[in-house]
Amino acid sequence: MHYLKTASFGGLFTVTFGVAAAFQIAFSILGLLLAVLSPGLFHMNGAAATSPMAAVGVLIFLLVVGLCMNASMSALGSLVVMAARRFLPAAKTV
């Protein structure tokens, strides 16, 4: 909790982005297994993937879009924490 009270924007962004990116990469690895086993589950522009390579292409596209959204949400979350630190009263020291 002390880190949240003292970290800079870059530190907060790195922590939030790192945690979310780790989960995205873990689920992408699971998606690779699914792409090989059943590529028809992956759709791009309404058409199902016909081969594992097409399914992997869909996965790469989703990973890039997801990481961009992750970066924007991490930046927004870091700004919210920094704003909350600025406007909330400081803890009293005895």
Side-chain angles (χ1 to χ4, degrees):
M1 193 65 179
H2 178 69
Y3 186 75
L4 289 177
K5 293 179 183 177
T6 60
S8 66
F9 174 79
L12 292 170
F13 177 82
T14 302
V15 168
T16 56
F17 185 82
V19 170
F23 280 102
Q24 282 182 293
I25 290 171
F27 280 104
S28 292
I29 292 170
L30 182 63
L32 285 174
L33 176 67
L34 202 61
V36 171
L37 295 177
S38 55
L41 293 175
F42 295 88
H43 292 262
M44 181 70 86
N45 295 328
T50 56
S51 69
M53 287 308 294
V56 169
V58 173
L59 274 176
I60 291 172
F61 174 77
L62 290 175
L63 182 64
V64 168
V65 168
L67 287 174
C68 290
M69 290 177 60
N70 177 14
S72 63
M73 288 188 291
S74 293
L76 184 62
S78 298
L79 288 174
V80 166
V81 169
M82 291 183 75
R85 281 194 318 215
R86 178 176 297 263
F87 295 117
L88 291 178
K92 294 181 181 177
T93 57
V94 177

